[in-house]
Amino acid sequence: MNPLDAICDVKRNDAVCVSNLKSAKPVDKAVLQERPDVKIFLPFRFHFYKPKDLFKENMYKNFLVAPGGDHVLSLVDEISYTAPPAPPLSQMHELPPELFCNGDNRPADCSVDCRCTHMIDVPLNSIVEIVLVDEVQSPNLSHPFHLHGTSYNVIGMGRSPDKNIKKINLKHALDLDRKGLLHRQYNLPPFKDTLAVPNNGYVVLRLKADNPGYWLFHCHFIFHIVIGMNLILHIGTQRDLPPVPPNFPRCGHHLPSITSPTYYPIH
Ligand SMILES: [Cu+2]
C-alpha cells in the first residue's frame, strides 16, 4: 500500500495506491462536483536553521535535531504552527485574534520561520478541496497527514507528469492544476482520515465540511508535530457550536509568555 515512488496513474502489480481503492459506501455527489466551494493548496517543507540563528541570548525557539545534525523547523504554507494557550473550542473569545494566521493573513513580522496558530476557516457544509504538496522531498520520507473530526475522500495522488521537474513545489502544483494535469478520479474515491503524501508528490482530498468545530490537521510523525507541521481546519462559526457547559474546566498559560508578557490573562 502506498508505494514511495508514488506512481499511481498506471497499472502495476507490486503495490496499490490509496487513490486506486474504491469506496464500499456511496460518496455524496456534492463532494464530487467539478468545482469545490473552497480550494486550499498546502505546500509543506522543512526550514533548516543555522545554529548561529538559534543560540542567542533570550532566544527559546523550538526545533528538532535530525540524525544528521540539522536543526529543523516545519512549515505548512510557510507557517509553523504554534498551539494556542487555551482551547479555541471552549475559550475562543479569550484568545487574541492576532495569535491566528493563515496563508492569506500572515503576521506583519513574519520571517523565514513564521510562527503562529495556523487556522483556515471554511463555511459549514461547504465542499472543500485540499491539495497537499510535498516540498520536503527527503528521499523515502512520506508524511502521513491526519484530519480530526471528519474523513475525506482521496481524489488523487501522484507526482508531476513533467519529467523535467525534479522537485515539485507549490508553483508547479498550481500550474498542473490550471492545466488539468493534477490526477483526479471521481469514481467512488475512498474515505480516509490519514494519508501518506507521496514523497516529492501531492494528494488531492475532498470533504464536506458538515462537522463544525476546530479540527487539527497534521502530519502524524510526533517529531513533526512538535516543530509545527499542523494547522486547524475551522469549520463553521461559533454559532454552529453548542454552548460551553457551565463551570467547564478552563486552561491558559501557566507561565507568562516569554515573547509577550501580556498575551494571555492568568485566571
Ligand atoms: Cu511529517
Side-chain angles (χ1 to χ4, degrees), residues 116-164:
C116 44
T117 303
H118 193 171
M119 184 165 84
I120 296 176
D121 301 298
V122 297
L124 186 65
N125 293 321
S126 57
I127 303 300
V128 179
E129 180 174 282
I130 298 174
V131 181
L132 288 164
V133 182
D134 175 40
E135 293 186 341
V136 177
Q137 297 162 344
S138 295
N140 297 328
L141 181 59
S142 294
H143 301 259
F145 270 80
H146 172 51
L147 177 63
H148 291 230
T150 185
S151 50
Y152 45 72
N153 293 101
V154 181
I155 300 290
M157 71 193 314
R159 281 183 173 162
S160 174
D162 184 342
K163 295 288 170 268
N164 295 319

Side-chain angles (χ1 to χ4, degrees), residues 25-42:
K25 65 174 183 177
V27 180
D28 187 338
K29 276 202 174 59
V31 171
L32 305 176
Q33 68 193 25
E34 195 180 334
R35 283 175 195 275
D37 302 318
V38 183
K39 197 162 169 173
I40 304 163
F41 276 77
L42 293 175

Side-chain angles (χ1 to χ4, degrees), residues 20-254:
N20 299 139
L21 300 176
K22 295 273 182 277
S23 173
K25 65 174 183 177
V27 180
D28 187 338
K29 276 202 174 59
V31 171
L32 305 176
Q33 68 193 25
E34 195 180 334
R35 283 175 195 275
D37 302 318
V38 183
K39 197 162 169 173
I40 304 163
F41 276 77
L42 293 175
F44 57 95
R45 66 181 180 92
F46 286 148
H47 170 73
F48 297 98
Y49 281 111
K50 293 187 179 75
K52 73 171 172 55
D53 298 331
L54 276 175
F55 302 110
K56 293 179 182 166
E57 210 173 325
N58 293 324
M59 181 175 277
Y60 302 96
K61 289 183 171 179
N62 65 314
F63 56 90
L64 73 80
V65 181
D70 284 329
H71 294 59
V72 188
L73 186 74
S74 174
L75 300 167
V76 178
D77 204 10
E78 300 298 300
I79 295 165
S80 187
Y81 176 87
T82 308
L89 190 62
S90 55
Q91 288 173 246
M92 190 60 180
H93 58 289
E94 295 170 35
L95 294 169
E98 58 271 20
L99 278 185
F100 296 93
C101 70
N102 54 47
D104 297 330
N105 173 27
R106 288 168 204 279
D109 58 351
C110 239
S111 60
V112 288
D113 58 346
C114 187
R115 294 157 182 266
C116 44
T117 303
H118 193 171
M119 184 165 84
I120 296 176
D121 301 298
V122 297
L124 186 65
N125 293 321
S126 57
I127 303 300
V128 179
E129 180 174 282
I130 298 174
V131 181
L132 288 164
V133 182
D134 175 40
E135 293 186 341
V136 177
Q137 297 162 344
S138 295
N140 297 328
L141 181 59
S142 294
H143 301 259
F145 270 80
H146 172 51
L147 177 63
H148 291 230
T150 185
S151 50
Y152 45 72
N153 293 101
V154 181
I155 300 290
M157 71 193 314
R159 281 183 173 162
S160 174
D162 184 342
K163 295 288 170 268
N164 295 319
I165 296 292
K166 294 280 173 277
K167 291 188 168 183
I168 198 167
N169 58 24
L170 173 65
K171 189 172 167 293
H172 184 62
L174 287 168
D175 204 39
L176 289 175
D177 188 40
R178 249 190 315 271
K179 294 175 180 162
L181 295 175
L182 281 187
H183 171 236
R184 286 187 169 89
Q185 82 83 20
Y186 298 99
N187 179 18
L188 292 170
F191 288 86
K192 298 287 281 180
D193 60 28
T194 309
L195 181 68
V197 183
N199 172 262
N200 195 18
Y202 66 87
V203 294
V204 184
L205 315 172
R206 288 270 182 101
L207 60 98
K208 185 173 184 191
D210 56 3
N211 191 5
Y214 300 88
W215 301 110
L216 207 58
F217 186 38
H218 62 96
C219 173
H220 224 295
F221 290 138
I222 302 294
F223 289 153
H224 296 177
I225 293 173
V226 297
I227 57 167
M229 202 179 271
N230 322 295
L231 60 93
I232 296 171
L233 189 65
H234 178 208
I235 297 178
T237 66
Q238 217 60 30
R239 282 195 303 275
D240 299 316
L241 295 168
V244 179
N247 302 318
F248 192 72
R250 301 162 45 77
C251 53
H253 271 327
H254 53 283

